[in-house]
Amino acid sequence: MPNLPAPYVSPWKEFARNLRALWADLGLRGRELWRRNREGDLSIPGFWPNNLLPWFWPAVLALVLAALVSAGVLLMPPPIEPVHPSPPPPVAIRELPAPDPIPEEEPVAIIPEPEPPPPLRIDPLLELFLDGSAPEDLLLAAQPDGVNNRLELRLAESWWDLPEARRHELAHAWQARCADLGYGELRLLARDDQLIGRSARVGSGMILFNNVAPA
């Protein structure tokens, strides 16, 4: 079979996808740093009290911001006093004839401007899983659970139309992506919160439940 040319992909579309992925990754890194700071997992000097470990880096950040604000205030130039100009010489006032009255214009109907369209909602975390490997509109939402270090993917009813081997393939690929993002567990849920699959608690891999599609 002859090699067909690759389909054209707009570089602007790829740039937007990469930008959304970068924004999502920064958000995940920030939440991870916040969680590690709350658990006292970050590097802390030995002189700092153990019961105040989560407050060390916020205190350092506050001191740095205060220093930057103080430096900005000190480097501001002094205010320039306004120079009062000398009063102009008196000018003789000559009376002018009254202008002719302006005829009244007929009222013009005002056409209201159309309302702007609602803003486009983008889920940066869900965008990381929309790489083209899964059928379109299969993934509905990606919900992180930072307390349990868990990620939940909500799937559409079209999940049940896929062959069993294809479902296992997608579930294992999503689990690998979930581990790359720093989550320890992955759960697959239907639209009505029915549990479809989860990470194996002993060993590795995904466990898929042979549930029937919701009516």
Side-chain angles (χ1 to χ4, degrees):
M1 182 176 181
N3 295 328
L4 298 178
Y8 173 75
V9 179
S10 173
W12 292 106
K13 184 176 181 181
E14 290 297 321
F15 175 75
R17 181 184 295 273
N18 294 334
L19 189 61
R20 291 193 295 268
L22 177 60
W23 179 255
D25 183 71
L26 290 176
L28 292 174
R29 303 284 182 190
R31 287 196 291 269
E32 181 182 2
L33 287 176
W34 180 260
R35 175 179 59 81
R36 292 181 60 190
N37 178 70
R38 186 177 65 246
E39 297 173 355
D41 193 26
L42 299 178
S43 177
I44 304 296
F47 65 85
W48 193 259
N50 291 332
N51 59 341
L52 298 177
L53 290 180
W55 293 98
F56 175 77
W57 287 110
V60 171
L61 181 60
L63 290 176
V64 171
L65 291 177
L68 292 176
V69 172
S70 301
V73 172
L74 294 177
L75 295 177
M76 289 179 61
I80 300 176
E81 297 183 358
V83 178
H84 299 284
S86 57
V91 179
I93 300 176
R94 185 179 58 180
E95 295 184 358
L96 298 177
D100 297 333
I102 301 176
E104 296 182 359
E105 297 181 356
E106 297 181 359
V108 180
I110 301 176
I111 301 175
E113 297 182 357
E115 297 182 358
L120 179 62
R121 295 184 177 180
I122 299 176
D123 188 347
L125 184 57
L126 181 61
E127 288 289 330
L128 297 178
F129 290 85
L130 299 178
D131 55 358
S133 59
E136 188 176 359
D137 298 332
L138 175 61
L139 288 169
L140 301 178
Q143 301 170 337
D145 185 354
V147 177
N148 299 314
N149 193 22
R150 181 172 61 199
L151 179 65
E152 295 180 351
L153 293 180
R154 197 168 301 275
L155 308 178
E157 288 80 5
S158 57
W159 168 261
W160 307 104
D161 299 334
L162 300 176
E164 183 177 358
R166 178 59 173 157
R167 281 183 273 172
H168 279 277
E169 179 185 356
L170 289 174
H172 286 289
W174 292 336
Q175 184 191 32
R177 179 65 59 85
C178 179
D180 293 339
L181 295 176
Y183 291 95
E185 182 183 0
L186 173 64
R187 297 182 66 187
L188 304 179
L189 302 176
R191 189 189 295 269
D192 58 349
D193 293 335
Q194 178 185 8
L195 182 62
I196 297 175
R198 60 172 174 82
S199 303
R201 295 175 181 173
V202 178
S204 59
M206 288 290 295
I207 298 176
L208 299 182
F209 303 104
N210 294 325
N211 300 331
V212 296

